[in-house]
Amino acid sequence: MVQQAQPRPLLNRRLADLGTTIFAEMSELAVSTGSVNLGQGFPDTDGPEQIARAAADAILSGRGNQYPPGAGIGELRTAIAAHQRRFYDLDVDPGTEVLVTAGATEAIAAALLALVEPGDEVIAFEPYYDSYAACIAMAAGIRVPVTLRAPDFRPDLDELRAAVTDRTRLILLNSPHNPTGSVFTRAELTAIAELATASDLLVISDEVYEHMVFDGEHVPIASLPGMRERTVSISSAAKTFSFTGWKIGWITATPDLVTAVRTVKQFLTFVSGGPFQYAIAEALAMPRDYFSGVAGSLAARRDMMCDGLAAAGFEVYRPAGTYFITTDIRPFGESSGLDFCRKLPYQAGVVAIPSVVFYDNAEAGQTQVRFAFCKKVEVLAEALARLSALRPG
Ligand code: PMP
Ligand code: GLN
């Protein structure tokens, strides 16, 4: 018999296990079932009108409609540097130490593609935001998970130390942490910084939830001794200003790191959303009240959702930051978060995210389900009313 050659898979084999992002699957399910979507994290209220107007004005007055500078417009780079100084007392040169990206998503991708050689190990705390695994795979790196465990989701520093080998290139950090809402303490970050310095590791620090801290404080790891020169700090306008569709993100780092990441960025997107950059430059200069208001209004919704989800029967892990709550569904006698989330829209008209997709060590997250609370209070109240129908016992 003639052997049929197996057709070569179309998708690069390194990416074969990535599949469709859970956010797309669940958002589509929300639409098709008419469910309240507490899955994908995007607010249902736009950011400040004054900032939306600034973007519209930029378009209409012809600012940014043609390719802006590759590193980002000067006004935005200056505003990003001023923000780092105002909130963290960090000195950043807007000329050489800032790069504007197409959201934090591109910043993560470009940083990993720039800094990771095939076979390099990248340590990340799991559960991790799903683009981390994808981008490490695209860079042909090897991801090395260190698990944050319920109920507190604290980084286990001994486990972290044990994960470092002579092939480790960098630690990919995310605090405030999606999906657990954990905010790493200064002491924890100091220990991580000491390890990075002692082992000569780079750090990519995803700080997109920097202004969404309810308990504790946000400490950029770049502000700790020895870290300025080895950290790529990443943030985004998406969360802080509630414009997730604008895709304006940025990195701050030393000129050499910025040059490396920019080398990749120029061939991914070349430049990012010109008119929106003018608007975000204005947004970053808003008074402190704006930033504290973001956290304050989310903190109230965090409390409401923690209470409501607990009353509905979930085990609730109260987040110190972000706009996500991780819960456990074992009180319902359920053992698979994935099955639970696929049934929930039909059973209760609510969409959530099964956190297991954010783990390599599936065991640790099998029964965890994440709810986003960046929604209007009445929408959250409706979701809780629907979920109360599930009450166990
Ligand atoms: N990192 C984390 C941890 C996130 O939750 C998000 C939000 N999707 C991003 C990065 C991406 O941000 P952006 O929308 O700016 O690309
Ligand atoms: N950061 C958001 C979340 O975790 C949005 C994800 C996305 O749209 N890729 O839900």
PDB file of all heavy atoms in Angstrom, residues 21 23 39-42 105 129-130 178 208-209 239 323-324 353 358 370 372, ligand 2:
ATOM      1  N   THR A  21      -8.636  32.170  21.579  1.00  0.00           N
ATOM      2  CA  THR A  21      -8.604  32.748  22.919  1.00  0.00           C
ATOM      3  C   THR A  21      -9.982  32.604  23.573  1.00  0.00           C
ATOM      4  O   THR A  21     -11.017  32.791  22.933  1.00  0.00           O
ATOM      5  CB  THR A  21      -8.131  34.224  22.909  1.00  0.00           C
ATOM      6  OG1 THR A  21      -8.368  34.770  24.203  1.00  0.00           O
ATOM      7  CG2 THR A  21      -8.850  35.056  21.889  1.00  0.00           C
ATOM      8  N   PHE A  23     -11.423  34.484  25.450  1.00  0.00           N
ATOM      9  CA  PHE A  23     -12.212  35.731  25.509  1.00  0.00           C
ATOM     10  C   PHE A  23     -13.145  35.827  24.307  1.00  0.00           C
ATOM     11  O   PHE A  23     -14.291  36.241  24.425  1.00  0.00           O
ATOM     12  CB  PHE A  23     -11.280  36.947  25.552  1.00  0.00           C
ATOM     13  CG  PHE A  23     -10.371  36.920  26.741  1.00  0.00           C
ATOM     14  CD1 PHE A  23      -8.998  36.800  26.595  1.00  0.00           C
ATOM     15  CD2 PHE A  23     -10.889  36.999  28.020  1.00  0.00           C
ATOM     16  CE1 PHE A  23      -8.165  36.757  27.698  1.00  0.00           C
ATOM     17  CE2 PHE A  23     -10.062  36.958  29.129  1.00  0.00           C
ATOM     18  CZ  PHE A  23      -8.692  36.838  28.966  1.00  0.00           C
ATOM     19  N   GLY A  39     -17.303  38.117  31.371  1.00  0.00           N
ATOM     20  CA  GLY A  39     -16.158  37.333  30.944  1.00  0.00           C
ATOM     21  C   GLY A  39     -15.000  38.233  30.587  1.00  0.00           C
ATOM     22  O   GLY A  39     -14.229  38.679  31.456  1.00  0.00           O
ATOM     23  N   GLN A  40     -14.893  38.527  29.295  1.00  0.00           N
ATOM     24  CA  GLN A  40     -13.801  39.380  28.809  1.00  0.00           C
ATOM     25  C   GLN A  40     -13.817  40.719  29.563  1.00  0.00           C
ATOM     26  O   GLN A  40     -14.874  41.329  29.735  1.00  0.00           O
ATOM     27  CB  GLN A  40     -14.030  39.639  27.315  1.00  0.00           C
ATOM     28  CG  GLN A  40     -12.888  40.334  26.634  1.00  0.00           C
ATOM     29  CD  GLN A  40     -13.185  40.546  25.150  1.00  0.00           C
ATOM     30  OE1 GLN A  40     -14.328  40.439  24.705  1.00  0.00           O
ATOM     31  NE2 GLN A  40     -12.158  40.849  24.395  1.00  0.00           N
ATOM     32  N   GLY A  41     -12.639  41.155  29.976  1.00  0.00           N
ATOM     33  CA  GLY A  41     -12.575  42.379  30.785  1.00  0.00           C
ATOM     34  C   GLY A  41     -12.578  43.637  29.943  1.00  0.00           C
ATOM     35  O   GLY A  41     -11.531  44.066  29.475  1.00  0.00           O
ATOM     36  N   PHE A  42     -13.754  44.190  29.737  1.00  0.00           N
ATOM     37  CA  PHE A  42     -13.830  45.522  29.120  1.00  0.00           C
ATOM     38  C   PHE A  42     -14.976  46.267  29.775  1.00  0.00           C
ATOM     39  O   PHE A  42     -16.012  45.678  30.095  1.00  0.00           O
ATOM     40  CB  PHE A  42     -14.014  45.438  27.589  1.00  0.00           C
ATOM     41  CG  PHE A  42     -15.278  44.744  27.162  1.00  0.00           C
ATOM     42  CD1 PHE A  42     -16.451  45.455  26.969  1.00  0.00           C
ATOM     43  CD2 PHE A  42     -15.300  43.370  26.980  1.00  0.00           C
ATOM     44  CE1 PHE A  42     -17.624  44.810  26.588  1.00  0.00           C
ATOM     45  CE2 PHE A  42     -16.463  42.713  26.603  1.00  0.00           C
ATOM     46  CZ  PHE A  42     -17.626  43.427  26.403  1.00  0.00           C
ATOM     47  N   THR A 105      -0.775  44.601  24.705  1.00  0.00           N
ATOM     48  CA  THR A 105      -0.653  43.312  24.012  1.00  0.00           C
ATOM     49  C   THR A 105       0.554  43.318  23.082  1.00  0.00           C
ATOM     50  O   THR A 105       1.353  42.374  23.079  1.00  0.00           O
ATOM     51  CB  THR A 105      -1.950  43.021  23.218  1.00  0.00           C
ATOM     52  OG1 THR A 105      -3.047  43.078  24.130  1.00  0.00           O
ATOM     53  CG2 THR A 105      -1.898  41.665  22.561  1.00  0.00           C
ATOM     54  N   TYR A 129      -2.192  35.684  32.081  1.00  0.00           N
ATOM     55  CA  TYR A 129      -2.931  36.292  30.985  1.00  0.00           C
ATOM     56  C   TYR A 129      -2.582  35.509  29.717  1.00  0.00           C
ATOM     57  O   TYR A 129      -1.408  35.235  29.464  1.00  0.00           O
ATOM     58  CB  TYR A 129      -2.506  37.759  30.893  1.00  0.00           C
ATOM     59  CG  TYR A 129      -3.226  38.505  29.818  1.00  0.00           C
ATOM     60  CD1 TYR A 129      -4.611  38.508  29.792  1.00  0.00           C
ATOM     61  CD2 TYR A 129      -2.534  39.179  28.825  1.00  0.00           C
ATOM     62  CE1 TYR A 129      -5.279  39.163  28.788  1.00  0.00           C
ATOM     63  CE2 TYR A 129      -3.198  39.839  27.826  1.00  0.00           C
ATOM     64  CZ  TYR A 129      -4.572  39.815  27.815  1.00  0.00           C
ATOM     65  OH  TYR A 129      -5.229  40.457  26.826  1.00  0.00           O
ATOM     66  N   ASP A 130      -3.578  35.179  28.916  1.00  0.00           N
ATOM     67  CA  ASP A 130      -3.339  34.146  27.899  1.00  0.00           C
ATOM     68  C   ASP A 130      -2.343  34.541  26.809  1.00  0.00           C
ATOM     69  O   ASP A 130      -1.719  33.673  26.206  1.00  0.00           O
ATOM     70  CB  ASP A 130      -4.653  33.597  27.320  1.00  0.00           C
ATOM     71  CG  ASP A 130      -5.448  34.613  26.518  1.00  0.00           C
ATOM     72  OD1 ASP A 130      -5.109  35.806  26.550  1.00  0.00           O
ATOM     73  OD2 ASP A 130      -6.423  34.190  25.850  1.00  0.00           O
ATOM     74  N   ASN A 178      -3.854  39.791  36.843  1.00  0.00           N
ATOM     75  CA  ASN A 178      -5.017  39.228  36.158  1.00  0.00           C
ATOM     76  C   ASN A 178      -4.749  37.733  35.966  1.00  0.00           C
ATOM     77  O   ASN A 178      -3.723  37.386  35.372  1.00  0.00           O
ATOM     78  CB  ASN A 178      -5.169  39.917  34.791  1.00  0.00           C
ATOM     79  CG  ASN A 178      -6.296  39.335  33.950  1.00  0.00           C
ATOM     80  OD1 ASN A 178      -7.111  38.560  34.436  1.00  0.00           O
ATOM     81  ND2 ASN A 178      -6.339  39.721  32.677  1.00  0.00           N
ATOM     82  N   VAL A 208      -0.601  46.935  33.667  1.00  0.00           N
ATOM     83  CA  VAL A 208      -1.768  47.604  33.083  1.00  0.00           C
ATOM     84  C   VAL A 208      -2.847  47.946  34.120  1.00  0.00           C
ATOM     85  O   VAL A 208      -3.654  48.844  33.893  1.00  0.00           O
ATOM     86  CB  VAL A 208      -2.412  46.816  31.909  1.00  0.00           C
ATOM     87  CG1 VAL A 208      -1.447  46.644  30.759  1.00  0.00           C
ATOM     88  CG2 VAL A 208      -2.973  45.480  32.357  1.00  0.00           C
ATOM     89  N   TYR A 209      -2.836  47.251  35.262  1.00  0.00           N
ATOM     90  CA  TYR A 209      -3.843  47.555  36.300  1.00  0.00           C
ATOM     91  C   TYR A 209      -3.267  48.448  37.400  1.00  0.00           C
ATOM     92  O   TYR A 209      -3.759  48.463  38.524  1.00  0.00           O
ATOM     93  CB  TYR A 209      -4.404  46.244  36.882  1.00  0.00           C
ATOM     94  CG  TYR A 209      -5.114  45.426  35.819  1.00  0.00           C
ATOM     95  CD1 TYR A 209      -4.491  44.343  35.216  1.00  0.00           C
ATOM     96  CD2 TYR A 209      -6.380  45.787  35.370  1.00  0.00           C
ATOM     97  CE1 TYR A 209      -5.115  43.618  34.202  1.00  0.00           C
ATOM     98  CE2 TYR A 209      -7.011  45.076  34.351  1.00  0.00           C
ATOM     99  CZ  TYR A 209      -6.372  43.999  33.775  1.00  0.00           C
ATOM    100  OH  TYR A 209      -7.009  43.302  32.764  1.00  0.00           O
ATOM    101  N   LYS A 239      -7.106  50.222  30.358  1.00  0.00           N
ATOM    102  CA  LYS A 239      -7.756  50.011  31.659  1.00  0.00           C
ATOM    103  C   LYS A 239      -7.938  51.336  32.388  1.00  0.00           C
ATOM    104  O   LYS A 239      -9.027  51.668  32.820  1.00  0.00           O
ATOM    105  CB  LYS A 239      -6.910  49.079  32.532  1.00  0.00           C
ATOM    106  CG  LYS A 239      -6.313  47.903  31.822  1.00  0.00           C
ATOM    107  CD  LYS A 239      -7.341  46.870  31.453  1.00  0.00           C
ATOM    108  CE  LYS A 239      -6.766  45.942  30.401  1.00  0.00           C
ATOM    109  NZ  LYS A 239      -7.726  44.998  29.885  1.00  0.00           N
ATOM    110  N   TYR A 323      -9.854  44.484  37.899  1.00  0.00           N
ATOM    111  CA  TYR A 323     -11.322  44.455  37.938  1.00  0.00           C
ATOM    112  C   TYR A 323     -11.863  43.047  37.735  1.00  0.00           C
ATOM    113  O   TYR A 323     -12.899  42.854  37.149  1.00  0.00           O
ATOM    114  CB  TYR A 323     -11.980  45.497  37.045  1.00  0.00           C
ATOM    115  CG  TYR A 323     -11.527  45.778  35.640  1.00  0.00           C
ATOM    116  CD1 TYR A 323     -11.301  44.780  34.698  1.00  0.00           C
ATOM    117  CD2 TYR A 323     -11.411  47.124  35.232  1.00  0.00           C
ATOM    118  CE1 TYR A 323     -10.948  45.090  33.406  1.00  0.00           C
ATOM    119  CE2 TYR A 323     -11.049  47.445  33.928  1.00  0.00           C
ATOM    120  CZ  TYR A 323     -10.817  46.422  33.017  1.00  0.00           C
ATOM    121  OH  TYR A 323     -10.485  46.738  31.728  1.00  0.00           O
ATOM    122  N   PHE A 324     -11.145  42.098  38.346  1.00  0.00           N
ATOM    123  CA  PHE A 324     -11.568  40.694  38.266  1.00  0.00           C
ATOM    124  C   PHE A 324     -11.670  40.080  39.661  1.00  0.00           C
ATOM    125  O   PHE A 324     -10.913  40.446  40.557  1.00  0.00           O
ATOM    126  CB  PHE A 324     -10.540  39.880  37.473  1.00  0.00           C
ATOM    127  CG  PHE A 324     -10.304  40.425  36.088  1.00  0.00           C
ATOM    128  CD1 PHE A 324      -9.092  41.025  35.766  1.00  0.00           C
ATOM    129  CD2 PHE A 324     -11.287  40.356  35.127  1.00  0.00           C
ATOM    130  CE1 PHE A 324      -8.874  41.546  34.495  1.00  0.00           C
ATOM    131  CE2 PHE A 324     -11.083  40.869  33.851  1.00  0.00           C
ATOM    132  CZ  PHE A 324      -9.868  41.467  33.532  1.00  0.00           C
ATOM    133  N   ILE A 353     -15.299  33.527  32.952  1.00  0.00           N
ATOM    134  CA  ILE A 353     -14.129  32.906  32.308  1.00  0.00           C
ATOM    135  C   ILE A 353     -13.602  31.769  33.196  1.00  0.00           C
ATOM    136  O   ILE A 353     -13.369  31.981  34.394  1.00  0.00           O
ATOM    137  CB  ILE A 353     -13.004  33.964  32.114  1.00  0.00           C
ATOM    138  CG1 ILE A 353     -13.447  35.081  31.150  1.00  0.00           C
ATOM    139  CG2 ILE A 353     -11.702  33.309  31.652  1.00  0.00           C
ATOM    140  CD1 ILE A 353     -13.519  34.704  29.684  1.00  0.00           C
ATOM    141  N   PHE A 358      -5.787  29.653  32.079  1.00  0.00           N
ATOM    142  CA  PHE A 358      -4.613  30.481  32.366  1.00  0.00           C
ATOM    143  C   PHE A 358      -3.504  29.706  33.076  1.00  0.00           C
ATOM    144  O   PHE A 358      -2.528  30.289  33.538  1.00  0.00           O
ATOM    145  CB  PHE A 358      -4.998  31.683  33.240  1.00  0.00           C
ATOM    146  CG  PHE A 358      -6.085  32.558  32.662  1.00  0.00           C
ATOM    147  CD1 PHE A 358      -7.195  32.904  33.424  1.00  0.00           C
ATOM    148  CD2 PHE A 358      -5.991  33.073  31.379  1.00  0.00           C
ATOM    149  CE1 PHE A 358      -8.193  33.727  32.913  1.00  0.00           C
ATOM    150  CE2 PHE A 358      -6.979  33.887  30.855  1.00  0.00           C
ATOM    151  CZ  PHE A 358      -8.083  34.213  31.620  1.00  0.00           C
ATOM    152  N   ARG A 370     -13.519  33.150  36.820  1.00  0.00           N
ATOM    153  CA  ARG A 370     -13.258  34.585  36.971  1.00  0.00           C
ATOM    154  C   ARG A 370     -14.446  35.424  36.483  1.00  0.00           C
ATOM    155  O   ARG A 370     -14.974  35.180  35.400  1.00  0.00           O
ATOM    156  CB  ARG A 370     -12.015  34.954  36.148  1.00  0.00           C
ATOM    157  CG  ARG A 370     -11.548  36.379  36.334  1.00  0.00           C
ATOM    158  CD  ARG A 370     -10.574  36.811  35.246  1.00  0.00           C
ATOM    159  NE  ARG A 370     -11.272  37.297  34.069  1.00  0.00           N
ATOM    160  CZ  ARG A 370     -10.677  37.872  33.008  1.00  0.00           C
ATOM    161  NH1 ARG A 370      -9.362  38.003  32.991  1.00  0.00           N
ATOM    162  NH2 ARG A 370     -11.394  38.294  31.987  1.00  0.00           N
ATOM    163  N   ALA A 372     -15.563  39.475  35.707  1.00  0.00           N
ATOM    164  CA  ALA A 372     -15.110  40.868  35.554  1.00  0.00           C
ATOM    165  C   ALA A 372     -16.172  41.789  36.165  1.00  0.00           C
ATOM    166  O   ALA A 372     -17.366  41.570  35.956  1.00  0.00           O
ATOM    167  CB  ALA A 372     -14.934  41.194  34.074  1.00  0.00           C
TER     168      ALA A 372
HETATM  169  N1  GLN B   2      -7.648  41.954  29.740  1.00  0.00           N
HETATM  170  C1  GLN B   2      -8.977  41.549  29.443  1.00  0.00           C
HETATM  171  C2  GLN B   2      -9.278  40.245  30.103  1.00  0.00           C
HETATM  172  O1  GLN B   2      -8.410  39.636  30.684  1.00  0.00           O
HETATM  173  C3  GLN B   2      -9.272  41.493  27.982  1.00  0.00           C
HETATM  174  C4  GLN B   2      -8.713  40.323  27.281  1.00  0.00           C
HETATM  175  C5  GLN B   2      -8.754  40.396  25.800  1.00  0.00           C
HETATM  176  O2  GLN B   2      -9.613  41.063  25.261  1.00  0.00           O
HETATM  177  N2  GLN B   2      -7.844  39.758  25.168  1.00  0.00           N
HETATM  178  O3  GLN B   2     -10.402  39.837  30.068  1.00  0.00           O
END
